[in-house]
Amino acid sequence: MWSARAREWADLQEGAFRPLYEAAFDAAEVGKGTKLLDAGCGAGLALRIATNRGAETSGIDAAQNLVAIARERTPDARIDVGEIEELPFGDGIFDVVTGFNSFQYAADRVHGLAEAKRVTKPGGLVVAAVWGAPEKCQMGAYIGALGKLMPPPPPGAPGPWALSEPGALEALIEQAGLRAIRSRNVAVVFPFADDRTAVRGLLAAGPAERAARNSGEEKTAASIAEAIAPYRKPDGSYALVNDFRFVVASA
Ligand SMILES: C[S@@+](CC[C@H](N)C(=O)[O-])C[C@H]1O[C@@H](n2cnc3c(N)ncnc32)[C@H](O)[C@@H]1O
């Protein structure tokens, strides 16, 4: 699903996450010589930033079109198409493993985090970032609208905000054998010049593609436009403010 509109994701959504990446890399002291894996690296902006800091970077993502963009941006990094749950790396290789809004998509989240721990050096760090509290996310209505357009989830499947509840991410981290040591919230602002750009950008996420395949692109686009309309500025642009949270854990 994340491959379908990879270029739009890279051009219209991904850049907004820059403050989150920078804050997480500061918290994990990513710098010259840090061996870093970004699990669920998407189009690779975080990898590019870590590489610019002097880190030796690797990435993995299930979406081959996003990986293609990540490889263009950082040709020297090893970037695989593959699953977070089966990392193609030996034990104890990385100083830092990051997952920016990716571990929550793993079919087995604890197993995904346990894989991150396995490939991290003892005493190294795993950083997991997820959406913050829904009431602090202006894209909450958009996420809710997509939920209504997707096929019904299997009974008991965790909802999109499952890891935003206080302590929920820490609990998964501890179940994976990691030790949560600190957390931070970061405001991420998604700017869109107009309605058309906003809808194109917001259609680029995997869940939106899933909704479009299930309910039709036109209906999905109309639902997205309706969900964000309350935040349209007088000049027709948007700056959607959302809270994200990351936890730094020791392996
Ligand atoms: C919200 S996007 C985040 C991408 C990137 N980390 C960023 O900050 O732009 C979620 C990413 O997780 C990837 N993903 C989802 N499930 C995955 C899995 N089981 N294994 C590897 N990648 C996965 C998707 O392909 C997508 O690129």
Side-chain angles (χ1 to χ4, degrees), residues 32-46:
K32 193 164 166 43
T34 306
K35 287 194 189 325
L36 178 136
L37 171 69
D38 190 21
C41 63
L45 177 60

Side-chain angles (χ1 to χ4, degrees), residues 1-3 9 13-15 17 20-21 38-46 60-64 66-67 81-87 98-108 131 205-207:
M1 297 293 163
W2 289 93
S3 260
W9 171 266
Q13 276 218 50
E14 188 195 28
F17 289 102
L20 178 66
Y21 304 147
D38 190 21
C41 63
L45 177 60
I60 186 164
D61 197 283
Q64 65 177 17
L66 288 172
V67 166
V81 176
E83 300 288 331
I84 290 172
E85 296 94 324
E86 288 176 38
L87 295 176
T98 50
F100 295 103
N101 303 307
S102 55
F103 288 120
Q104 67 262 41
Y105 292 106
D108 180 337
W131 288 85

Side-chain angles (χ1 to χ4, degrees), residues 105-159:
Y105 292 106
D108 180 337
R109 297 164 173 196
V110 173
H111 182 61
L113 285 160
E115 269 292 90
K117 172 183 157 61
R118 179 184 67 74
V119 302
T120 304
K121 292 176 185 169
L125 298 174
V126 174
V127 183
V130 297
W131 288 85
E135 63 276 11
K136 292 187 182 162
C137 293
Q138 292 185 336
M139 271 149 67
Y142 150 76
I143 291 170
L146 294 182
K148 294 190 191 115
L149 299 170
M150 285 187 216

